[in-house]
Amino acid sequence: MTFIAGAALAALTLAGTGAAHAADGQLTLISETGSRTIVYESCQPPRQLHPQLAQLQSFRNQPPPGCQAVLVNQSGAGLVLCVGRGFVPPEFSRPSLVRVQPGTAPACL
């Protein structure tokens, strides 16, 4: 439930803005003070990132087929992010890690 994946060392990048290839995954984490976009080509092998944002409020998640993004909170619990736009529950607003891993994610409601 809590693994991050990226293809190679260069497969997972952080960017303030930028376009991704159609098959690339993209996760934008949004806080009161800014946002951080994670772009990745694959979810193999699993990768972990530190979000480097004060307090997350929402996200935009566009994983490639067969991949999912997971927020891991300070207690070690994981939350699979839905595909689309969503809000971050209070217990995950200060995640210690973001993981991209193989799996599926539900659509955001």
Side-chain angles (χ1 to χ4, degrees), residues 7-41:
L9 291 176
L12 196 70
T13 60
L14 293 178
T17 59
H21 296 108
D24 289 351
Q26 185 169 319
L27 171 63
T28 301
L29 302 171
I30 304 161
S31 73
E32 289 181 356
T33 59
S35 66
R36 175 78 61 197
T37 298
I38 300 166
V39 178
Y40 55 98
E41 295 174 5

